[in-house]
């Protein structure tokens, strides 16, 4: 039987200096869910948020000219460099792309520069959110509107201030060796970093930042995002948690293949490599059903990319950040070796911090 290959959802991490708006941006993206139920609802995963392509095109009000086969974006709910560098997949970063949030009124700060250096080292594509545009004096808020719509509503003075501030960012990025430009003037994503003016508070520019990420993934990543939908699952452990009625569980981002109840899995513990079997897979329940007693909904299997809670025996001592691999067929020893090898790499990263 031919293996089904599909493009998986790219995984996105949000980075930037403290207080520049990382958490607010993630909250805004999550919050826009409730409105667009028909256009494919944004769903809460374990440790992550899935924004389907339909919701993105619906928000931006424009159908993309290129045919898009990236199914959406999966945002890691924990922002920051720490999440980016410690969450790894096969020796690289777990996140396929990043948003670097910069307060447009403050400009670059030490953690902005650090984020850019990290992304350069990992060769991770990213976009700059020039955030807090609503704080520009005289800004007229156009709630949740794409950038071009809100920009057209501003007077010349305000437009001028925004332009100046964007060019200050372009200058700073150039000092660091990056070519950049306001996103609506970029024709070649390979040559220029896109700067998207946003407000995480009013939602202005949020549709654009999502479209730019989809565009980036579509142009540069479709090969690396190809997964075999029925291949053995591979993921990264976000957290190890005891849950009432379930015992020890793993919050996992699955980035490849499929994970199913009953699968044999390999993860890294403090002392040794652990081999066990998936007892249950759990998703958060949708908000509206929260009154139902169980907080989680059980599923039989999940396909990458997804955030899922895994319950299984023998999970005590699993390391956060550990790789998780499904064993299928006769390659058990090989999988154990891979996990052992990858976890060494993680321990080096952790000790660097
Ligand atoms: P983080 O530390 O980068 O996660 O920053 P937060 O998201 O916690 O934001 C820091 C502060 O800036 C909070 O008081 C937010 O309400 C505020 N903030 C974030 N984004 C915006 C924005 O776009 N406009 C305005 N006016 N305030 C914002």
């Amino acid at each position: 039987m031919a293996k089904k290959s599909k493009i998986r959802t790219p995984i996105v991490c949000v980075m930037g200096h403290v207080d520049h708006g990382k958490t607010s941006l993630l909250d805004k993206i999550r919050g826009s869910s409730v409105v667009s139920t028909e256009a494919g609802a944004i769903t809460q995963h374990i440790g992550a948020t899935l924004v389907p392509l339909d919701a993105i095109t619906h928000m931006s009000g424009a159908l993309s000219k290129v045919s898009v086969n990236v199914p959406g974006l999966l945002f890691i709910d924990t922002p920051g460099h720490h999440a980016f560098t410690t969450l790894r997949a096969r020796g690289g970063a777990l996140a396929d792309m990043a948003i670097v949030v910069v307060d447009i009124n403050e400009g670059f700060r030490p953690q902005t520069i650090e984020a850019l250096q990290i992304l350069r080292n990992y060769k991770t594509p990213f976009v700059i959110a020039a955030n807090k545009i609503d704080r520009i004096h005289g800004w007229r808020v156009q709630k949740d509107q794409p950038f071009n719509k809100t920009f057209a509503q501003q007077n010349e003075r305000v437009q001028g201030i925004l332009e100046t501030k964007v060019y200050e960012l372009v200058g700073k990025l150039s000092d660091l060796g990056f070519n950049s430009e306001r996103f609506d003037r970029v024709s070649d994503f390979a040559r220029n970093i896109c700067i998207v003016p946003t407000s995480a508070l009013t939602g202005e520019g949020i549709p654009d930042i999502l479209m730019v990420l989809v565009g980036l993934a579509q142009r540069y990543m479709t090969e690396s995002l190809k997964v075999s939908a029925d291949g053995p699952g591979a993921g990264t452990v976000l957290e190890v948690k005891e849950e009432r009625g379930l015992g020890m569980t793993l919050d996992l981002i699955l980035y490849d293949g499929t994970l199913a109840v009953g699968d044999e899995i390999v993860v890294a513990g403090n002392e040794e490599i652990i081999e066990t079997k998936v007892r249950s897979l759990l998703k958060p329940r949708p908000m509206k059903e929260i009154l139902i007693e169980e907080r989680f909904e059980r599923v039989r299997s999940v396909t990458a990319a997804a955030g899922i809670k895994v319950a299984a025996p023998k999970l005590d001592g699993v390391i956060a950040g550990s790789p998780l691999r499904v064993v299928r067929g006769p390659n058990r020893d090989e999988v154990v070796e891979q996990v052992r090898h990858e976890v060494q790499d993680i321990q080096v990263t952790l000790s660097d911090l």
Side-chain angles (χ1 to χ4, degrees):
M1 193 177 68
K3 286 215 165 166
K4 280 181 285 175
S5 151
K6 63 157 198 171
I7 309 275
R8 74 158 165 81
T9 318
I11 300 168
V12 186
C13 187
V14 178
M15 299 164 84
H17 197 76
V18 63
D19 279 347
H20 281 194
K22 299 179 291 294
T23 313
S24 307
L25 190 79
L26 281 164
D27 284 349
K28 192 71 200 177
I29 291 168
R30 274 195 288 262
S32 33
S33 54
V34 204
V35 213
S36 53
T37 40
E38 268 178 42
I42 294 173
T43 42
Q44 196 53 47
H45 280 214
I46 294 288
T49 303
L50 179 75
V51 187
L53 182 66
D54 284 353
I56 298 171
T57 47
H58 179 79
M59 270 186 255
S60 70
L63 271 172
S64 155
K65 281 173 233 108
V66 284
S67 76
V68 175
N69 48 15
V70 172
L73 302 166
L74 187 75
F75 287 89
I76 298 174
D77 284 341
T78 320
H81 312 354
H82 183 77
F84 182 89
T85 51
T86 53
L87 297 175
R88 299 167 73 89
R90 298 195 175 119
L94 172 66
D96 303 294
M97 293 193 287
I99 300 177
V100 177
V101 182
V102 190
D103 180 337
I104 194 167
N105 306 291
E106 279 207 12
F108 279 28
R109 286 284 183 269
Q111 288 166 322
T112 324
I113 295 166
E114 245 173 68
L116 294 169
Q117 282 162 345
I118 292 167
L119 293 168
R120 180 177 4 228
N121 287 345
Y122 281 84
K123 298 193 169 61
T124 303
F126 66 91
V127 49
I128 304 268
N131 196 35
K132 306 201 189 184
I133 52 171
D134 63 297
R135 297 267 291 266
I136 294 174
H137 193 67
W139 187 265
R140 302 214 301 251
V141 169
Q142 315 290 321
K143 204 168 172 298
D144 298 328
Q145 287 302 310
F147 173 74
N148 64 354
K149 291 226 171 104
T150 187
F151 190 68
Q153 294 300 315
Q154 310 304 322
N155 67 35
E156 261 177 45
R157 190 190 58 86
V158 171
Q159 289 185 343
I161 298 174
L162 184 116
E163 287 287 43
T164 308
K165 290 184 183 294
V166 167
Y167 277 110
E168 280 167 16
L169 299 183
V170 169
K172 278 274 184 269
L173 281 159
S174 162
D175 292 345
L176 294 165
F178 294 105
N179 290 324
S180 66
E181 186 47 283
R182 203 173 81 191
F183 75 102
D184 49 328
R185 301 186 187 120
V186 171
S187 53
D188 184 354
F189 287 171
R191 233 176 272 160
N192 279 295
I193 307 286
C194 289
I195 300 177
V196 184
T198 59
S199 167
L201 216 62
T202 69
E204 290 164 290
I206 302 295
D208 308 281
I209 207 143
L210 299 174
M211 278 310 279
V212 169
L213 287 168
V214 168
L216 268 180
Q218 184 71 30
R219 288 288 298 281
Y220 297 104
M221 307 190 62
T222 42
E223 272 312 305
S224 56
L225 293 173
K226 269 195 188 136
V227 296
S228 138
D230 48 11
T236 304
V237 175
L238 295 176
E239 267 188 82
V240 187
K241 277 191 209 160
E242 174 123 35
E243 298 280 0
R244 193 160 38 90
L246 294 169
M248 210 49 105
T249 66
L250 305 180
D251 288 359
L252 181 85
I253 301 280
L254 187 75
Y255 62 81
D256 198 5
T258 295
L259 179 66
V261 171
D263 272 347
E264 271 180 56
I265 53 171
V266 179
V267 278
N270 275 326
E271 315 259 304
E272 54 183 358
I273 301 295
I274 297 166
E275 292 174 59
T276 181
K277 212 170 202 179
V278 176
R279 189 166 51 210
S280 32
L281 293 173
L282 305 122
K283 292 199 311 196
R285 264 188 203 286
M287 273 304 205
K288 53 181 188 284
E289 296 174 22
I290 212 84
L291 289 175
I292 297 173
E293 232 171 82
E294 260 217 41
R295 284 161 54 214
F296 301 109
E297 184 180 337
R298 282 159 201 269
V299 290
R300 296 295 306 166
S301 75
V302 274
T303 301
I308 192 85
K309 186 179 276 296
V310 181
K314 298 201 290 187
L315 295 179
D316 283 295
V318 171
I319 306 170
S322 160
L324 178 147
R325 290 292 169 86
V326 169
V327 179
R328 208 168 291 161
N331 64 342
R332 184 185 148 277
D333 292 347
E334 206 178 298
V335 173
V336 169
E337 238 1 87
Q338 276 170 2
V339 170
R340 198 188 302 280
H341 181 76
E342 280 184 32
V343 83
Q344 277 165 0
D345 180 47
I346 290 160
Q347 281 160 334
V348 169
T349 317
L350 288 174
S351 66
D352 280 350
L353 296 170

